[in-house]
Amino acid sequence: MFYYNQFMENFENEKRTSTMYPQSESRPLSHLLQTKLHIPGTGSTLVQRPSLRRLLDQGLGAKLTLVTAPAGFGKSTLITEWIRQQPYSYAWISLDGRDNDLVRFMEYMIAALRTIQPGLCDSVLQYIQETRNFSAETAMTLLMNEVQALNQEIIIILDDYHVICEPSIHHGLTFLLAYLPRNMHMVIASRSEPQLPLSVMLAKRQLVRISANDLRFTADEIRELFKLTVDKRLTKEELVCLERRTEGWIAGLQMILLSGGEYGVNTKETDLAINPFKQHPSEVEGDIADYLTEEVLARQSPDVQQFLLKTAVLERMNESLCRHIIQKESGQSLNEAIQAGLFLIPLDRDRVWYRYHHMFGRLLYNRLTRQYAKIVPELHLRASEWFRINGYTVEAVEHAVAAADFNTACELIVQEASELLRNEMHMLLRWFGQFPENLLTHNPALAVLYAWSLATFDRLDEAENVLDRAEPYLNSGQTELQSLNGEDILGYFSAMRCLICLGRNETEKAVVYNEEIMKRLRGVGNISAAYIVGYNHDGESLLRGRFGFFGGLKQTLAIYPPLIAGWQSAHDHFYGYLHTAIGECYYERDDLAQAEKYVNIGASVGLKCENAGIFVPALLTKARICLARGEQEAAFALVQEVRNQAFRIHALSFLPVIDAFEARLFIRAGQPQHAARWAENCRLQADGWIDPSREFEQITWLRLLVAFGDGETAYRYAERLAQVYELKSRKAAVAEIRIVQALLLERQKNLSAAVKKLDQSLVLAFSEGYIRLFADEGAKLYRLLTLWGRQRCSVSKRAQDPLFQNYTDTLFSFFQEEDAASPQHLLSGLTRQEMNVLKLLSQGFANRDIAETLSTSTETVKRHCKNIYKKLAVSGRHEAVSLISDHLIE
């Protein structure tokens, strides 16, 4: 404990005197459209519909209320009026096509919840913003834990969910609904059936559905609508005519009222070539909508018509933007259009931003492109200009791309590269996909951003192809093409080449490119520094994550040590990452002194920067070092300190792996019952989805299944884990899983199968040189390793490989010679009193009972136990008894 206390004391002293390290804080959500988080404004509905309100109330008893119907059926209006009358807090999100990105979707979920309580879900926000290819399950788990801690009922409304087609979002929402907290309810409005387990939820009575048939106006409701709106009493014939033509479609009825209330009342059915009984309802609605839109427009003045058509290019609008589009100081204004009731919906409480009803806006845009196609690009350019001037980069690029003004879009993307790479990766790929090919190849800055976007999603071949086509233009001599935000573009080309090589395990090439990066960027560059600050945001290990090439000891030790020598203090976070990752490598190679030296520096930097992505793996590696030295109490103390530090800076996304690490300590100490609570909270299932981002938790859960004696479930789960991680090329994970399987098979007396599994593990670990992976299993693995050694020639395909033989001989040396490590030899090192204590331990006696039986004190018994564990090289009672159970003297 001394070195640990001394380390923490030094850290606190340095923290009080140092100001050179910036704090790592989660970024705000200012890049999101706040208007999407406000409940849409609607006029009061004159016709009361109590039956629908009752259905929505009934839905509160289930997990999900689903409202599905085509456009114009009043889904949003119904939910809006209902939610305003509820005593519960609610979070509203109006979705659009740009939300088909898991990061953006989760950000909007968090932003919506923060309208209920500011600062809510800070751990989730940090996790999703600072973790590449993060897990939807982990993000949703963190979100649920924070919501569950609130002492209030919450309703989340997802409007227009039909725009979502991203599978990861569907998967995340499915997971959320499966484990939805009791104080949380979800409402989804969609034009189509969402890709969620609706039939299962319906069977479990977890779902209440409201369909188009429920939303259609009945004859009585149509009669009441016309009476209250235009004070007209419909005859029976007029009512039948209206009901048949609109089929109770609310938008159609509203258009009729906007047209003067005469259509459908005085017009014969033959005036419309529509037979509702022969056409699909959506076709009927589309035909009626087209016809009625013409009727509505025809009744407006020329200024109003121009306003409606020109502003149809906008997804949202305010007065200033509309005037910029129309380019008239006088004439029709947004406020006048609102007062005319032209299907404009307010998007914020102050009623500054509006949008057209989706259906009406789409019809307006269709007419604009049909009749005035030549002016559409100019309208998009005006919109792009306004959004650029007012600081809305994403919308400025969107309209520039829509206008085919790719030079302007390119300029905006390069100017805002750092922000776009952090928040809009999917958007970048979509934009780049619409750019002319020659523009991407002739502009190296744009090319490297495109390659970066592709490589982030593991599309390495495409990224390399982009760089290859753009590289000839690096020597064009044009100054503006030689930098990216003022930094050497050649350095970024080398950075991308390095990233691609690392993705392909081409370590030697990556080292060469790394030297070029250091020479030209003197580090990682300002743009990429944003990634590095939060490179790890939920893992207990850098080595097992992307930073350590998913367990690549050779790559990590080949690339990172040279970087330290030339590293400058501009990015101290990265300095901490380097030391921690290298320290983990030295630990796995069993160089404990070097490992401690490096992780001490990493932990110090991480704590000063308040970057849990550094200090969590660093301090947990120190805990592993403690265990390797037999200092179990120090290991537990370090885990508690890591947890306290994570709480202190609100890095709650690390708590699952910290708790899992503590669970492993209990398992190793022979106290698996103390890990049971963690098992209940981790939400893992033997037949559930294997989430690669939860590798450490999953293998911990596997070990707990073994400790509790559930061999059948454990083996089945281990096979599923191994299959997934083999496909992901995570050798260390597969090697560890095979070790667990081997020990499980040995316990079941299936020794031949156990030896084969151990051989598979040895072959995998040999390629990277892992030592502690086996040594940490303790003496219990030695028996099986010894058996493998006797059979290696008949079992192992690598038995004749001299390098492999040297590797396995090294492993044997860590377990001492066979005779010295045998149970009989170990027992001979115990005193007579220690043997008495051990026999009583094997019979299940507690320390107090042993003390009474041997007429000694409990403290003396504890001291004997500690000596026994040390001599037997085990970590606790369970391992001690298991190791020598067959050799105790009766």
mmCIF file of all heavy atoms in Angstrom, residues 70 118 166 227 245 250 282 426 469 488 490 548 567 593 689 726 758 810:
data_model
loop_
_atom_site.group_PDB
_atom_site.id
_atom_site.type_symbol
_atom_site.label_atom_id
_atom_site.label_comp_id
_atom_site.label_asym_id
_atom_site.label_seq_id
_atom_site.Cartn_x
_atom_site.Cartn_y
_atom_site.Cartn_z
ATOM 1 N N PRO A 70 -50.383 7.301 -42.714
ATOM 2 C CA PRO A 70 -49.749 8.120 -43.745
ATOM 3 C C PRO A 70 -49.770 9.606 -43.368
ATOM 4 O O PRO A 70 -50.345 10.012 -42.354
ATOM 5 C CB PRO A 70 -50.601 7.848 -44.992
ATOM 6 C CG PRO A 70 -51.260 6.536 -44.718
ATOM 7 C CD PRO A 70 -51.493 6.500 -43.238
ATOM 8 N N PRO A 118 -31.430 19.896 -17.034
ATOM 9 C CA PRO A 118 -30.140 20.280 -17.634
ATOM 10 C C PRO A 118 -29.008 19.414 -17.088
ATOM 11 O O PRO A 118 -28.974 19.074 -15.906
ATOM 12 C CB PRO A 118 -29.979 21.753 -17.207
ATOM 13 C CG PRO A 118 -31.370 22.223 -16.966
ATOM 14 C CD PRO A 118 -32.118 21.041 -16.411
ATOM 15 N N GLU A 166 -31.416 3.487 -40.406
ATOM 16 C CA GLU A 166 -30.122 2.993 -39.932
ATOM 17 C C GLU A 166 -30.325 1.819 -38.966
ATOM 18 O O GLU A 166 -30.949 1.961 -37.919
ATOM 19 C CB GLU A 166 -29.360 4.126 -39.243
ATOM 20 C CG GLU A 166 -28.102 3.713 -38.504
ATOM 21 C CD GLU A 166 -27.085 3.021 -39.401
ATOM 22 O OE1 GLU A 166 -26.921 3.453 -40.568
ATOM 23 O OE2 GLU A 166 -26.481 2.029 -38.957
ATOM 24 N N LYS A 227 -69.374 22.446 -38.939
ATOM 25 C CA LYS A 227 -70.255 23.342 -38.193
ATOM 26 C C LYS A 227 -69.451 24.330 -37.354
ATOM 27 O O LYS A 227 -69.739 25.543 -37.324
ATOM 28 C CB LYS A 227 -71.186 22.524 -37.288
ATOM 29 C CG LYS A 227 -72.197 23.373 -36.511
ATOM 30 C CD LYS A 227 -73.119 22.503 -35.693
ATOM 31 C CE LYS A 227 -74.169 23.358 -34.997
ATOM 32 N NZ LYS A 227 -73.568 24.360 -34.101
ATOM 33 N N ARG A 245 -64.914 10.731 -50.326
ATOM 34 C CA ARG A 245 -63.782 11.298 -51.075
ATOM 35 C C ARG A 245 -62.526 11.430 -50.218
ATOM 36 O O ARG A 245 -61.418 11.224 -50.701
ATOM 37 C CB ARG A 245 -64.179 12.655 -51.647
ATOM 38 C CG ARG A 245 -65.187 12.527 -52.770
ATOM 39 C CD ARG A 245 -65.528 13.884 -53.338
ATOM 40 N NE ARG A 245 -66.476 13.752 -54.438
ATOM 41 C CZ ARG A 245 -66.999 14.776 -55.083
ATOM 42 N NH1 ARG A 245 -66.658 15.992 -54.761
ATOM 43 N NH2 ARG A 245 -67.856 14.575 -56.058
ATOM 44 N N ILE A 250 -57.696 13.806 -42.483
ATOM 45 C CA ILE A 250 -57.784 15.114 -41.854
ATOM 46 C C ILE A 250 -57.183 16.200 -42.723
ATOM 47 O O ILE A 250 -57.745 17.297 -42.859
ATOM 48 C CB ILE A 250 -57.104 15.077 -40.468
ATOM 49 C CG1 ILE A 250 -57.783 14.027 -39.597
ATOM 50 C CG2 ILE A 250 -57.145 16.441 -39.800
ATOM 51 C CD1 ILE A 250 -57.034 13.718 -38.317
ATOM 52 N N SER A 282 -52.873 5.478 -50.000
ATOM 53 C CA SER A 282 -51.853 6.516 -50.174
ATOM 54 C C SER A 282 -51.957 7.163 -51.546
ATOM 55 O O SER A 282 -51.695 8.360 -51.708
ATOM 56 C CB SER A 282 -50.453 5.906 -49.985
ATOM 57 O OG SER A 282 -50.207 4.906 -50.966
ATOM 58 N N HIS A 426 -21.365 10.873 -41.016
ATOM 59 C CA HIS A 426 -22.277 10.304 -42.004
ATOM 60 C C HIS A 426 -22.662 11.350 -43.049
ATOM 61 O O HIS A 426 -22.801 11.040 -44.237
ATOM 62 C CB HIS A 426 -23.534 9.770 -41.317
ATOM 63 C CG HIS A 426 -23.347 8.426 -40.679
ATOM 64 N ND1 HIS A 426 -22.791 8.262 -39.433
ATOM 65 C CD2 HIS A 426 -23.648 7.175 -41.113
ATOM 66 C CE1 HIS A 426 -22.743 6.973 -39.137
ATOM 67 N NE2 HIS A 426 -23.265 6.302 -40.133
ATOM 68 N N ARG A 469 -5.619 8.606 -55.966
ATOM 69 C CA ARG A 469 -6.043 9.468 -57.071
ATOM 70 C C ARG A 469 -5.726 10.942 -56.814
ATOM 71 O O ARG A 469 -5.543 11.709 -57.750
ATOM 72 C CB ARG A 469 -7.543 9.286 -57.324
ATOM 73 C CG ARG A 469 -7.880 7.944 -57.968
ATOM 74 C CD ARG A 469 -9.339 7.813 -58.347
ATOM 75 N NE ARG A 469 -10.180 7.557 -57.187
ATOM 76 C CZ ARG A 469 -11.106 8.378 -56.736
ATOM 77 N NH1 ARG A 469 -11.300 9.542 -57.340
ATOM 78 N NH2 ARG A 469 -11.845 8.064 -55.689
ATOM 79 N N ASP A 488 0.250 21.184 -42.589
ATOM 80 C CA ASP A 488 0.850 20.516 -43.735
ATOM 81 C C ASP A 488 -0.032 19.368 -44.217
ATOM 82 O O ASP A 488 -0.243 18.384 -43.506
ATOM 83 C CB ASP A 488 2.229 19.989 -43.322
ATOM 84 C CG ASP A 488 3.040 19.506 -44.515
ATOM 85 O OD1 ASP A 488 2.437 19.152 -45.540
ATOM 86 O OD2 ASP A 488 4.270 19.491 -44.412
ATOM 87 N N LEU A 490 0.646 17.212 -46.489
ATOM 88 C CA LEU A 490 1.426 15.987 -46.656
ATOM 89 C C LEU A 490 1.464 15.187 -45.358
ATOM 90 O O LEU A 490 1.469 13.953 -45.369
ATOM 91 C CB LEU A 490 2.846 16.334 -47.107
ATOM 92 C CG LEU A 490 2.989 16.823 -48.548
ATOM 93 C CD1 LEU A 490 4.384 17.376 -48.797
ATOM 94 C CD2 LEU A 490 2.697 15.687 -49.523
ATOM 95 N N GLY A 548 -4.770 0.181 -28.934
ATOM 96 C CA GLY A 548 -3.762 -0.873 -28.842
ATOM 97 C C GLY A 548 -3.940 -1.939 -29.894
ATOM 98 O O GLY A 548 -3.441 -3.062 -29.740
ATOM 99 N N TRP A 567 7.836 13.561 -28.728
ATOM 100 C CA TRP A 567 6.549 14.194 -28.462
ATOM 101 C C TRP A 567 6.714 15.511 -27.734
ATOM 102 O O TRP A 567 7.561 15.660 -26.878
ATOM 103 C CB TRP A 567 5.661 13.258 -27.645
ATOM 104 C CG TRP A 567 4.227 13.697 -27.680
ATOM 105 C CD1 TRP A 567 3.523 14.293 -26.693
ATOM 106 C CD2 TRP A 567 3.356 13.590 -28.791
ATOM 107 N NE1 TRP A 567 2.256 14.571 -27.110
ATOM 108 C CE2 TRP A 567 2.126 14.147 -28.402
ATOM 109 C CE3 TRP A 567 3.487 13.099 -30.082
ATOM 110 C CZ2 TRP A 567 1.033 14.215 -29.254
ATOM 111 C CZ3 TRP A 567 2.403 13.158 -30.925
ATOM 112 C CH2 TRP A 567 1.203 13.707 -30.507
ATOM 113 N N ALA A 593 8.329 -4.060 -13.564
ATOM 114 C CA ALA A 593 8.970 -2.797 -13.191
ATOM 115 C C ALA A 593 8.762 -1.740 -14.280
ATOM 116 O O ALA A 593 8.411 -0.590 -13.995
ATOM 117 C CB ALA A 593 10.460 -3.016 -12.943
ATOM 118 N N TRP A 689 -27.221 -10.594 -27.795
ATOM 119 C CA TRP A 689 -26.314 -10.110 -28.837
ATOM 120 C C TRP A 689 -24.916 -9.902 -28.269
ATOM 121 O O TRP A 689 -24.740 -9.373 -27.179
ATOM 122 C CB TRP A 689 -26.849 -8.796 -29.400
ATOM 123 C CG TRP A 689 -26.023 -8.233 -30.527
ATOM 124 C CD1 TRP A 689 -25.735 -8.833 -31.705
ATOM 125 C CD2 TRP A 689 -25.398 -6.948 -30.578
ATOM 126 N NE1 TRP A 689 -24.974 -8.012 -32.497
ATOM 127 C CE2 TRP A 689 -24.743 -6.847 -31.827
ATOM 128 C CE3 TRP A 689 -25.325 -5.877 -29.686
ATOM 129 C CZ2 TRP A 689 -24.029 -5.710 -32.215
ATOM 130 C CZ3 TRP A 689 -24.611 -4.750 -30.070
ATOM 131 C CH2 TRP A 689 -23.973 -4.673 -31.313
ATOM 132 N N GLU A 726 -13.168 -13.942 -33.111
ATOM 133 C CA GLU A 726 -12.307 -14.455 -34.186
ATOM 134 C C GLU A 726 -12.549 -13.677 -35.476
ATOM 135 O O GLU A 726 -11.618 -13.344 -36.199
ATOM 136 C CB GLU A 726 -12.567 -15.943 -34.395
ATOM 137 C CG GLU A 726 -11.876 -16.838 -33.378
ATOM 138 C CD GLU A 726 -12.229 -18.299 -33.554
ATOM 139 O OE1 GLU A 726 -13.232 -18.594 -34.249
ATOM 140 O OE2 GLU A 726 -11.519 -19.159 -32.977
ATOM 141 N N LEU A 758 -6.497 -25.426 -24.760
ATOM 142 C CA LEU A 758 -5.314 -24.717 -24.275
ATOM 143 C C LEU A 758 -4.300 -24.521 -25.401
ATOM 144 O O LEU A 758 -3.674 -23.461 -25.505
ATOM 145 C CB LEU A 758 -4.685 -25.494 -23.122
ATOM 146 C CG LEU A 758 -3.428 -24.858 -22.511
ATOM 147 C CD1 LEU A 758 -3.731 -23.464 -21.977
ATOM 148 C CD2 LEU A 758 -2.860 -25.740 -21.401
ATOM 149 N N THR A 810 9.254 -20.543 -21.802
ATOM 150 C CA THR A 810 9.207 -19.335 -20.971
ATOM 151 C C THR A 810 7.994 -19.355 -20.056
ATOM 152 O O THR A 810 8.069 -18.981 -18.876
ATOM 153 C CB THR A 810 9.159 -18.073 -21.855
ATOM 154 O OG1 THR A 810 10.303 -18.050 -22.694
ATOM 155 C CG2 THR A 810 9.124 -16.812 -21.011
#
